[in-house]
Amino acid sequence: MGSQVKKKLRIYGDEEDRISRLPDELIHHILSFTDAKEAVQTSVLSNRWKSLWITLPFLNFGEYRYSSPKNNTKFIRHVLANRNRQSDLFELNFCVYNKGLRRCLIANVVDYAISHNVQSLDFGLFYKHQPFKLSTFNSNSLKKLTLRVRLEEFAMELGCWDLPCLTTLFLKYPEFDFAKGNQISNSWFTCLPSLRDLGLENWDLSISSFSFSILDLTTLHLSMCILPKKVWDLPSLITLDLHNVNLPYDMSDMISTLIHLQNLTISLPFIQDHVISCSRPLLNLNIRTNSSHYDSGSGYIIVFAPKICNFTSFGIFATTFGVPELETVNIRIQGWFHGLQSSKKEIYHRLTNMFPGLGNAKTLTFDLESIKALNEISSLLVWLPSPFYNMKYIKVPKTYKQSNMSSALRSYLLVWPVHMVHKTVPPSHILILEIKQNVLLQDHLAAPIRELVDSHNIHQNLSVNTVNMNVQEEHVMEDPVVDSDRVRRSDAPLERTKKYQASSSQGDKDCGLWRGHEVHPEFVCLLDRIMHTYPQTFENFTTKNKMLSAMNLNLLCTSLDNFSKVSLTEVDCEMIDGYRDICAYLQNQGFDVSWGVNRLNYIENLCFSQPLIPELHGIDCCIEGAKTEVQHLQAHVDDAKMNIQGLQARGKINVQDLQARVDYSKTKLQELQTLRRKKMAEIEKAFGTRGTNLAVGLVGDYLLSSP
């Protein structure tokens, strides 16, 4: 019996020894997750733990709702008095609900933390109290500051607080005073030189004197705030999080100045119609909606952002994306129905309104409830065209069995014949269905091809067949004067001449003369038009070196011909710079192409000074998609009406639901067309009639029609 007790004591003693042998830094890290009371209580465990808490660099003073003010005051003073004075305090969290603490004690806590070089301070009093001065928190070491207290109103002078190292600031105004007009001042931020991350909650930013101007801010979080009326001056902002903020219908003006914005998160208090337009490099978009005010007739969100790669949605709302290519789309509705009175299945039908604008996504991720919802409305999906023509992966929770997926849902999600490969990758709860794309379809609505062909071989064969045109590669590569478009159209093989010029058996048709210079025959008329419209172009043109002159004339015409075939949707900064370099070279060769430079400047201003052109083209893409969807849906309705008795007898479809979907799509199409007319009016107001003409045409239109 005695040996067993000794054995147990030895085992427990070993375990105690192992804990005691942990370094102080690790024990401090463990205690950082506990309240200060619990940390102090560990001193009774053993001699090893007796003095550990006095050097603890983390102090958490919790709510203390149910303790008497006297006991709380006594405990806080005990901690401050007995803590090692030589140990710095890295982090202090002081968020107390107890009303009985004296103000002098609270001030002593803050002073103690600042005097011990605190780097992170979370300070909140969740009861009505006298406001604090900002100077109370002045510190040379503080890097992160969170204040959930009332702050004293003061004059608008600079230097309201001194925090040279502060990088992260979060200010929350107590909710119970929100209705009194809680205002904030510009001077609160002008004296924070290192500020990069700012969070504001329950503040009124709409006062006329407030201007959002923080040049180095990279992250901004706004929650339940009234937005400022002036344009935001945040040139370095990368991440913007708007939570329960009353947003305007068109958010273009609000975010157009955020030239480096990459991450945008929007949590909507109400499901309303919104236009989110950003021609800047916005990469990640998250939209969260609230079901408590759900209305099946509202909640249509239009997005124009050409650079977006990742989109995450929480809730059910219709959306249209003017985005060329999406990498990942995440659909989340788990928990969204909490408190919703309507039938879930009725709202499930609205889920398909999200998909037409997301059809070019490569990876589609569902949570458990969203994939189950789609499975429940399989009878409707039978009659809907699949929008997913670029899909590579479908991700569902691992708990979802693939055998539960109906054939209708499988056909809706997967456009062409596929092999489904089950793989489990981190995170382990996600099951990936990898789509082996076996056919290359020109039209994603075309009939499926049963013969399976390896896509890699298809691309190789296409490359080989495209190159094989009976054209000798060495002739094309060595002669810069050859018009590549003419070479590709010609069936006659090229032959090398003694002058090292490219010609064919067709003879003189490959060469034309313009004022004694050999040029491509199709360029003769073009040069005459340039001479007629802009005669100053050739006033200083030299003709001493015939070969160089011919090359420069061909370069001028080739560049102008290519430029005249470009639409505004294809224009980017790199293209503008490339044509500017060509113009600079031609200027050095004696050509006056100032008319070309003027057009480049106008096009650059038209495309990049305002987001109107990208928005217009995004609307046009959405309109085309909406028209196609209406046509397909109407065709299915007509087909269903012809077979309505047999279909309804088998319980496969509800024609009324399908007709309601058609009516809904028509309504949204009309809204898009109305939005397009408004956008054209905005373009005409900003850039005149020439701007509206170029917006729907090519950048070279009317360039040679008038001087």
Side-chain angles (χ1 to χ4, degrees):
M1 183 68 179
S3 61
Q4 292 180 353
V5 173
K6 291 181 180 179
K7 184 177 181 180
K8 290 183 178 180
L9 290 175
R10 186 166 58 250
I11 293 175
Y12 296 150
D14 289 343
E15 290 184 356
E16 184 179 359
D17 289 340
R18 283 198 295 269
I19 296 176
S20 299
R21 285 196 295 267
L22 291 175
D24 289 357
E25 292 79 6
L26 183 55
I27 297 178
H28 285 163
H29 179 70
I30 296 173
L31 294 179
S32 68
F33 299 98
T34 66
D35 186 82
K37 286 187 177 181
E38 297 172 343
V40 173
Q41 288 171 354
T42 60
S43 61
V44 302
L45 294 178
S46 68
N47 291 333
R48 170 73 173 88
W49 289 75
K50 187 174 183 179
S51 59
L52 274 176
W53 73 270
I54 67 174
T55 57
L56 184 65
F58 309 93
L59 283 181
N60 300 313
F61 293 103
E63 299 179 357
Y64 303 154
R65 294 191 183 192
Y66 307 110
S67 301
S68 66
K70 182 178 180 180
N71 290 337
N72 291 333
T73 300
K74 182 177 179 181
F75 170 72
I76 294 173
R77 286 177 174 172
H78 171 77
V79 172
L80 299 184
N82 291 278
R83 190 177 178 277
N84 190 327
R85 298 181 180 180
Q86 305 301 321
S87 299
D88 284 342
L89 184 61
F90 179 78
E91 179 178 331
L92 172 64
N93 297 321
F94 190 89
C95 300
V96 179
Y97 280 83
N98 196 296
K99 298 181 180 180
L101 298 181
R102 293 186 177 181
R103 188 176 179 84
C104 60
L105 173 65
I106 297 174
N108 289 338
V109 172
V110 176
D111 291 341
Y112 179 88
I114 293 175
S115 64
H116 285 75
N117 302 317
V118 66
Q119 296 187 29
S120 177
L121 175 60
D122 188 341
F123 184 70
L125 298 177
F126 298 96
Y127 56 87
K128 194 168 184 178
H129 57 83
Q130 293 298 317
F132 287 85
K133 294 182 178 180
L134 295 184
S135 58
T136 304
F137 307 98
N138 286 348
S139 169
N140 292 325
S141 61
L142 200 59
K143 296 181 179 179
K144 181 179 180 181
L145 176 61
T146 299
L147 295 179
R148 299 180 177 89
V149 294
R150 299 177 63 203
L151 298 173
E152 187 177 77
E153 297 180 3
F154 58 95
M156 303 298 290
E157 75 275 6
L158 297 180
C160 53
W161 51 12
D162 184 15
L163 298 167
C165 298
L166 191 72
T167 59
T168 303
L169 175 63
F170 178 80
L171 301 177
K172 178 181 178 179
Y173 198 94
E175 295 183 8
F176 48 81
D177 280 339
F178 180 62
K180 294 184 178 180
N182 40 341
Q183 298 180 356
I184 203 167
S185 171
N186 286 320
S187 58
W188 291 17
F189 311 115
T190 55
C191 50
L192 302 175
S194 301
L195 186 63
R196 299 295 181 269
D197 189 342
L198 175 63
L200 299 174
E201 183 174 346
N202 290 341
W203 293 95
D204 184 359
L205 310 179
S206 63
I207 56 177
S208 58
S209 61
F210 184 80
S211 61
F212 231 144
S213 179
I214 309 176
L215 300 183
D216 296 324
L217 194 70
T218 59
T219 303
L220 175 62
H221 306 268
L222 298 180
S223 178
M224 293 181 286
C225 291
I226 301 177
L227 295 179
K229 297 178 180 179
K230 296 184 178 180
V231 177
W232 298 5
D233 184 15
L234 305 170
S236 302
L237 195 69
I238 297 176
T239 300
L240 176 61
D241 186 354
L242 303 174
H243 179 73
N244 286 352
V245 174
N246 191 14
L247 298 171
Y249 167 72
D250 191 346
M251 299 172 56
S252 305
D253 293 338
M254 185 179 70
I255 62 178
S256 60
T257 58
L258 308 179
I259 59 177
H260 291 103
L261 185 65
Q262 296 183 12
N263 311 302
L264 176 60
T265 299
I266 301 175
S267 299
L268 300 174
F270 306 99
I271 304 179
Q272 298 173 332
D273 294 353
H274 289 286
V275 176
I276 303 172
S277 177
C278 184
S279 58
R280 308 300 181 182
L282 181 63
L283 300 178
N284 306 299
L285 175 63
N286 301 321
I287 299 179
R288 298 178 60 89
T289 59
N290 191 338
S291 65
S292 59
H293 298 87
Y294 179 76
D295 181 1
S296 60
S298 64
Y300 196 79
I301 299 177
I302 303 173
V303 179
F304 308 126
K307 302 295 184 180
I308 283 185
C309 294
N310 307 303
F311 170 63
T312 299
S313 69
F314 179 75
I316 297 178
F317 51 89
T319 180
T320 296
F321 262 64
V323 179
E325 185 173 352
L326 277 170
E327 289 292 332
T328 60
V329 171
N330 301 287
I331 307 297
R332 301 281 183 267
I333 61 173
Q334 194 80 32
W336 184 76
F337 292 93
H338 180 70
L340 194 63
Q341 301 298 326
S342 304
S343 171
K344 284 188 178 182
K345 192 166 184 178
E346 293 179 5
I347 303 177
Y348 283 166
H349 289 77
R350 304 286 178 179
L351 189 59
T352 58
N353 294 333
M354 302 180 65
F355 297 146
L358 307 174
N360 56 1
K362 294 181 180 179
T363 300
L364 188 60
T365 303
F366 295 98
D367 65 359
L368 187 59
E369 184 156 358
S370 60
I371 193 67
K372 287 183 176 179
L374 289 175
N375 213 43
E376 286 193 30
I377 59 172
S378 296
S379 59
L380 175 63
L381 298 180
V382 172
W383 300 94
L384 297 180
S386 175
F388 303 111
Y389 55 88
N390 200 31
M391 191 68 61
K392 291 185 178 179
Y393 300 98
I394 296 176
K395 298 182 180 181
V396 296
K398 191 177 180 181
T399 54
Y400 182 77
K401 296 180 180 179
Q402 185 191 352
S403 58
N404 294 337
M405 185 182 294
S406 66
S407 58
L409 176 56
R410 187 185 300 271
S411 300
Y412 179 75
L413 295 177
L414 311 175
V415 179
W416 38 63
V418 297
H419 292 307
M420 309 293 287
V421 179
H422 299 264
K423 297 196 304 183
T424 302
V425 296
S428 58
H429 63 282
I430 296 295
L431 176 66
I432 296 181
L433 307 181
E434 181 180 4
I435 300 178
K436 296 294 186 179
Q437 185 172 331
N438 296 308
V439 293
L440 186 65
L441 298 181
Q442 297 297 325
D443 183 0
H444 68 274
L445 298 177
I449 300 175
R450 293 185 178 277
E451 184 178 358
L452 304 183
V453 184
D454 185 79
S455 60
H456 179 68
N457 293 335
I458 287 178
H459 292 298
Q460 286 186 336
N461 294 335
L462 287 175
S463 301
V464 172
N465 293 334
T466 304
V467 175
N468 186 13
M469 296 182 181
N470 297 325
V471 178
Q472 298 183 17
E473 185 178 356
E474 58 179 1
H475 293 171
V476 178
M477 296 298 292
E478 292 180 5
D479 195 342
V481 185
V482 178
D483 181 6
S484 58
D485 290 331
R486 179 184 56 77
V487 171
R488 285 193 292 269
R489 291 193 298 267
S490 176
D491 295 330
L494 293 176
E495 298 176 357
R496 203 55 153 178
T497 64
K498 292 182 180 180
K499 294 183 179 180
Y500 300 98
Q501 294 177 345
S503 64
S504 72
S505 58
Q506 297 177 358
D508 295 337
K509 292 183 180 180
D510 285 337
C511 183
L513 289 177
W514 186 79
R515 302 199 175 193
H517 302 287
E518 292 184 356
V519 296
H520 297 311
E522 59 266 34
F523 290 162
V524 174
C525 293
L526 181 58
L527 287 168
D528 287 337
R529 291 177 62 193
I530 296 174
M531 185 67 183
H532 175 74
T533 310
Y534 306 105
Q536 72 275 16
T537 304
F538 306 102
E539 288 180 356
N540 299 318
F541 173 56
T542 178
T543 59
K544 294 181 180 180
N545 189 324
K546 294 291 184 181
M547 184 177 297
L548 181 60
S549 299
M551 185 186 74
N552 290 334
L553 288 170
N554 280 291
L555 175 62
L556 170 63
C557 294
T558 300
S559 303
L560 182 59
D561 185 56
N562 292 335
F563 182 70
S564 64
K565 298 176 182 177
V566 176
S567 66
L568 284 184
T569 57
E570 303 173 293
V571 174
D572 54 25
C573 295
E574 184 178 356
M575 180 183 294
I576 294 290
D577 292 340
Y579 279 113
R580 278 210 177 98
D581 292 341
I582 294 175
C583 289
Y585 169 79
L586 293 173
Q587 293 276 18
N588 292 332
Q589 297 299 315
F591 294 92
D592 184 357
V593 290
S594 56
W595 48 274
V597 175
N598 292 336
R599 176 55 65 92
L600 286 175
N601 294 335
Y602 183 82
I603 293 298
E604 184 178 40
N605 185 44
L606 183 63
C607 290
F608 305 118
S609 64
Q610 298 184 37
L612 297 176
I613 297 300
E615 292 171 4
L616 176 66
H617 292 149
I619 294 173
D620 288 338
C621 293
C622 297
I623 288 176
E624 291 301 318
K627 287 181 178 178
T628 302
E629 182 182 8
V630 170
Q631 292 173 358
H632 283 285
L633 287 173
Q634 189 62 55
H636 290 314
V637 169
D638 296 339
D639 185 51
K641 287 180 178 179
M642 294 177 61
N643 303 278
I644 186 170
Q645 293 181 353
L647 290 172
Q648 288 189 342
R650 294 190 296 269
K652 287 187 176 181
I653 188 170
N654 188 328
V655 179
Q656 293 181 349
D657 289 344
L658 195 56
Q659 184 62 54
R661 175 66 186 271
V662 174
D663 297 338
Y664 180 82
S665 299
K666 288 181 178 180
T667 301
K668 294 309 176 183
L669 175 59
Q670 293 174 356
E671 293 178 358
L672 286 170
Q673 291 171 338
T674 302
L675 182 61
R676 187 186 190 279
R677 290 191 290 270
K678 292 181 180 179
K679 199 61 61 178
M680 288 293 288
E682 293 179 23
I683 294 174
E684 183 173 5
K685 182 178 179 180
F687 301 102
T689 305
R690 182 170 63 167
T692 57
N693 292 335
L694 293 178
V696 296
L698 304 174
V699 297
D701 287 350
Y702 316 106
L703 184 58
L704 297 179
S705 60
S706 60

